[in-house]
Amino acid sequence: MPAPYVIRGSVFLPEAELMWRFSRSSGPGGQHVNTSDSQVELRFDLARTEALPSVWKERALERLAGRMVDGVVTVRASEHRSQWRNRETAAVRLASLLAEATAPPPKPRRPTRIPRGINERRLREKKQRSEVKRGRTGRGWT
């Protein structure tokens, strides 16, 4: 892999903790597909890693709970015919998944009140519209 993959800030995916598995991929490639292991499965043991700060690790374990098996996150890539490009894709996908899972929660929304002028204008326009519609009835035509 040419460069370390940044999760966020100065935290990187540790190469030593990545487990790679290769298998034959379906899709385009003709006879080449039958002989090369181009599909990539990248596994990262999130529960045992020391690369992430403890707060990030807890957050990621909580958010990725439905996606993990025994604390291990798995990402697959088989879009490309080349194993190398699939490795790149899988690593980038894992880094972005971890970046999203370790991101701090958004600030809670602070409720705001609707300004009185806006509410009065809305009610005034409703009343005008109702007068227009009432004026369209045939009552009073004798």
Side-chain angles (χ1 to χ4, degrees), residues 67 75-79 88-98:
R67 216 193 138 119
V75 176
R76 278 200 182 127
S78 62
E79 295 83 41
E88 291 284 315
T89 304
V92 167
R93 207 177 283 165
L94 179 64
S96 67
L97 180 71
L98 289 174

Side-chain angles (χ1 to χ4, degrees), residues 23-71:
S23 60
R24 294 202 175 124
S25 176
S26 62
Q31 294 174 351
H32 175 70
V33 166
N34 301 327
T35 60
S36 66
D37 293 338
S38 60
Q39 177 173 304
V40 173
E41 184 178 280
L42 175 58
R43 299 168 55 117
F44 180 67
D45 195 346
L46 185 58
R48 293 193 188 102
T49 188
E50 296 298 323
L52 297 177
S54 60
V55 176
W56 287 17
K57 188 173 167 180
E58 289 170 17
R59 208 179 286 156
L61 285 169
E62 183 181 316
R63 290 182 183 169
L64 297 174
R67 216 193 138 119
M68 291 189 305
V69 176
D70 297 329

